[in-house]
Each structure stands twice: as structure tokens, then as C-alpha cells.
Amino acid sequence: MKVRKQAVLFTMVVLFALNATVPVFAEDTAEKKTPYTIEYSKVEQTVLGNNLQVNSNMLSLDSLDNKNELKKKYENILDTVSKASQSLTAILNDPDASEELKTVAKGTSVTLSTLSKILDMQEDTSEDDFELTDLQTDLANYQIVRTAQSLFSTHYQLQYNIEDLTDSRALLENTLSTAQTKYNLKQGTSLDVAQAQDALNTLDCSITNLQNQSKAIDTEMNILLGHSYNDTIVFGNVPNPDTDYTNKIDPDSDLTAARDASYNIKIKRKQRAILSDETYKEKDKKNALNDDMELELQNIGSSLDKQYKTIQEKKVVLTAKQQKLATAEFSQEQALKKHEAGILSTMDYAKIRYNTLSQQYSVKAAMLGLFQEIESYKWIMRGLPASN
């Protein structure tokens, strides 16, 4: 196996190129930035095109590829040097050659020998080494894409929770107002008022906490998408779960496809191919890789089966929540008639109405949960390890 070597000059060029790709973000200003919108369907394309880490990974890979091209040129030069050295050797061994010519030949021979050593330093990675790096780069890049897609979903999980708590806040405000009114009329106690205020304060703290988490998600997404950390991001609509896809899932055939696509398996196979059988140490490494691959094959089977079952469970959960929402909506319709007839108080109707809103958020969350699990299944099929 060839030893990887890099010329100092080439390393400097690569480092300079890496530095050149990193944009310098302007300092924070009071000026309001123009918002940009990111749709879920565009997350992968945007990350692969703009993410700084992805760009750095690809540049490093390109640098290896370029070295393979340079290697061919170096080999041509080395061939020329070799032929020249043979001619110089013939001159040095020619008894009829003048001393001046032999002196020049000796000097030239030393120069060519030095050049040969320098060119030999340009020896590049083997094809297997390059393919291994290519696989590792793809895996790293797609894991960044997957992280960004996960954050997109997390953004909406937080938004549903914030909206749900914000709606419930109106009920707590009414409770506080009622407690205060009763206290003023000597029909309630100060403890009732204090407890109602505490509940409202606790809810406000929860809302603030979720809002801060949402802002943190915005910052992380900006960076993953290649934007400045403080840009104003607008998330597009979250897609509905692809139920057609779930109906076509075939666990048995999918298992074979997932194992064939697995980056971990491909990487371990390539690592094994690079090793030789020349030493016991390398043989032991090969055996260890064989064991690792067998374990990874089992992990893929386990992960895919678990993910499939999770999808089925999420579908059942979604159906149940949709039915619960339908019941809540029917209950609200009946309550509205009673409220309009003066049979049901405004406060009681508000509670029933809030329950319907809460069920709506519950359905949205269930749809989002199913969507996420389907996406995780698809990523396993594309060769990525299952997320923990």
C-alpha cells in the first residue's frame, strides 16, 4: 500500500483555498435584515450547496482528486528525468568524453536526482484511499443535511407548543380575573388570586423558554444553511406525512436495499480492501473489520424493523387523535348552541373551545411525528445509520 505524502507547497495552497472559502460575516448592526424563507424540500440542496463544513469537506476531497491528476504529470516528468539520467550516466562512463563535459554531467545528475526525490514526494493516495475518503465525505455531508431537516421539524414542534400554551393563557387570564373579582366582592380569598397569578406566571415562563429554544433553532439553521447566524429565517410549511410511501414499504426487500446502501458497510469494506495480508497486525485488523461489518448488518436490520414498527404506531396514534379532534369539534358545535341560548356560560364555552384548539395542535404534532419517522426510514434506506 502506498504511503500518503503531501508537498509543503500543495498543503499551503489547500490551506489558502480553505481560508478563501470562509465568508467574513459583517458585524451586528441595528439595521433590520431581509428575511429569507426555507422550504423543507430545499433544505438538502441548500445545505449541500452553502454549508461551510460541507464546502470544506468537498474542497478537501477535490484536492485529493486534483493530486491524482497531478500525479500523472509527475509520472511523465519522472520518466523524462530517468531517461536524462541514463544519458548522463553514459557520458560519465564514456572514456572519450572531456572532463568539462563530465563535470557538467555530474552536476546535472545531482540536480536531476534531487528533482526526482521532490517529485517522488508527490506520490498521491491510492484509488482505494480516495474512494474511502469519498465515502466518508458523503456520509459526513448527508449527516449535516439530516441534522438540518431534523431542526426544521423541531422548529414546528416548538411552534405548536407555543401556540397551544398561548391559547391556554387566555383561560388562565380569565381565571385570574374571576378570582380577583370574587375577592373584591368578598366571595373569594387572596390565596385564590395568588394561585391564579402563580399559574399564569409559570405558564409565561414556559412560553418564554420555548421561544428562546425557537430562537436557538433559528441560529443553528442559519449556520447549517450557510447564512449568518443572526439572519432572519422563515420556515416554510411542514410537509404532510407521505402515507403513500408507508403503504408501499416492504421490510424484507428494504432490508437488502438498506444494507447495500449503508455507508458504514461500504466504508468498512473499503478499509478492509486497503489492508494487506503482509503482517499479522493487518490480518487482525481485517478480522476486526469483518466482525464490525457483521454487527453493522445486524444493526441495520434491527434499526429498519424498529423504524417500520414506529411508523405503524405513529399512524395509529394519528388516527386516534384525528378522531378525538372530530369529537371535540362536535362538542364545540353543541356548546356554541347552548352558549347562544344562554344555557352555557362564556367561561365554560371558552374551556370547550380551547380543548378543540388543543386537539388541533395535538393532531398537527402527531402528523409531524409520523412525518419525522418516515423521513428517518428513508434515510436508513439511503445508507445513513439510524438516529438514536
Side-chain angles (χ1 to χ4, degrees):
M1 185 179 70
K2 296 182 179 179
V3 179
R4 182 180 301 176
K5 299 175 182 177
Q6 286 186 312
V8 175
L9 178 60
F10 185 81
T11 303
M12 291 175 65
V13 170
V14 172
L15 290 176
F16 176 80
L18 280 171
N19 290 333
T21 65
V22 180
V24 179
F25 294 131
E27 295 182 0
D28 292 347
T29 63
E31 173 177 335
K32 188 175 180 182
K33 298 193 174 185
T34 303
Y36 74 96
T37 301
I38 180 66
E39 300 290 345
Y40 185 87
S41 60
K42 300 294 183 182
V43 170
E44 179 171 343
Q45 171 187 335
T46 305
V47 170
L48 294 178
N50 299 340
N51 180 271
L52 295 182
Q53 184 59 56
V54 170
N55 289 340
S56 177
N57 292 344
M58 295 309 298
L59 181 59
S60 298
L61 185 65
D62 287 344
S63 71
L64 291 178
D65 196 25
N66 289 336
K67 286 190 70 181
N68 285 333
E69 292 298 320
L70 289 173
K71 181 183 177 182
K72 296 176 183 177
K73 297 178 181 179
Y74 294 148
E75 288 174 347
N76 291 334
I77 297 173
L78 280 170
D79 183 59
T80 301
V81 169
S82 176
K83 291 177 180 177
S85 296
Q86 292 174 7
S87 299
L88 292 172
T89 299
I91 292 174
L92 292 173
N93 294 332
D94 185 359
D96 297 328
S98 66
E99 288 301 319
E100 291 82 358
L101 182 57
K102 288 185 178 183
T103 299
V104 172
K106 286 180 182 179
T108 304
S109 181
V110 170
T111 300
L112 290 179
S113 176
T114 302
L115 177 60
S116 178
K117 291 178 180 178
I118 292 175
L119 293 174
D120 189 54
M121 293 277 296
Q122 304 300 319
E123 183 179 341
D124 195 32
T125 57
S126 67
E127 188 64 27
D128 282 336
D129 282 332
F130 178 79
E131 290 176 0
L132 174 60
T133 304
D134 191 14
L135 288 169
Q136 291 169 330
T137 299
D138 280 348
L139 176 57
N141 291 346
Y142 284 127
Q143 284 175 326
I144 295 174
V145 171
R146 188 176 182 179
T147 298
Q149 290 180 340
S150 177
L151 287 181
F152 192 102
S153 297
T154 302
H155 162 81
Y156 273 99
Q157 288 177 333
L158 292 171
Q159 294 309 305
Y160 296 155
N161 289 336
I162 291 171
E163 291 170 10
D164 191 14
L165 291 181
T166 301
D167 286 338
S168 68
R169 191 181 191 281
L171 287 179
L172 290 181
E173 284 180 327
N174 287 336
T175 301
L176 176 59
S177 177
T178 301
Q180 186 66 55
T181 300
K182 287 182 178 181
Y183 175 72
N184 293 339
L185 296 173
K186 309 296 183 182
Q187 296 176 356
T189 67
S190 60
L191 178 60
D192 294 332
V193 176
Q195 288 177 334
Q197 185 63 62
D198 287 345
L200 187 60
N201 291 342
T202 299
L203 183 65
D204 284 341
C205 287
S206 297
I207 292 174
T208 300
N209 180 265
L210 291 175
Q211 288 172 335
N212 288 336
Q213 290 182 46
S214 184
K215 290 177 182 177
I217 294 295
D218 289 356
T219 299
E220 291 182 54
M221 277 296 285
N222 277 329
I223 294 172
L224 289 173
L225 297 173
H227 282 258
S228 176
Y229 73 94
N230 58 355
D231 280 355
T232 303
I233 179 174
V234 176
F235 290 80
N237 294 328
V238 64
N240 290 325
D242 188 354
T243 52
D244 287 341
Y245 178 85
T246 64
N247 294 333
K248 297 175 183 176
I249 289 178
D250 182 343
D252 292 333
S253 62
D254 282 357
L255 176 58
T256 300
R259 285 174 169 173
D260 289 342
S262 170
Y263 279 99
N264 281 343
I265 294 295
K266 291 177 182 178
I267 287 171
K268 293 181 189 303
R269 282 176 179 160
K270 189 57 63 176
Q271 289 172 330
R272 186 181 61 181
I274 291 173
L275 293 170
S276 68
D277 292 321
E278 295 175 0
T279 64
Y280 287 113
K281 186 175 182 179
E282 295 212 335
K283 287 181 180 178
D284 288 343
K285 287 182 179 179
K286 275 192 170 183
N287 290 332
L289 284 170
N290 288 335
D291 292 340
D292 288 346
M293 280 191 287
E294 181 57 37
L295 178 60
E296 185 62 24
L297 289 172
Q298 295 301 321
N299 287 340
I300 293 170
S302 173
S303 297
L304 204 65
D305 180 65
K306 179 182 177 181
Q307 199 63 39
Y308 175 69
K309 290 176 180 176
T310 300
I311 288 173
Q312 302 310 311
E313 290 170 5
K314 292 288 184 180
K315 289 173 72 174
V316 172
V317 168
L318 175 58
T319 300
K321 288 188 179 295
Q322 287 172 329
Q323 181 58 52
K324 198 170 182 179
L325 172 59
T327 301
E329 289 174 338
F330 178 72
S331 176
Q332 183 181 333
E333 289 176 6
Q334 298 303 308
L336 178 59
K337 293 177 182 178
K338 292 180 180 180
H339 176 60
E340 290 174 341
I343 302 174
L344 190 68
S345 70
T346 300
M347 185 65 179
D348 288 338
Y349 175 70
K351 289 180 180 178
I352 294 173
R353 181 175 179 277
Y354 166 68
N355 179 57
T356 303
L357 292 173
S358 183
Q359 294 305 320
Q360 288 175 350
Y361 294 128
S362 183
V363 168
K364 287 182 179 180
M367 291 181 68
L368 180 61
L370 176 56
F371 171 76
Q372 287 177 294
E373 299 303 338
I374 294 172
E375 290 297 284
S376 294
Y377 190 93
K378 289 179 178 180
W379 273 115
I380 297 176
M381 293 300 298
R382 291 180 63 178
L384 263 64
S387 57
N388 297 323

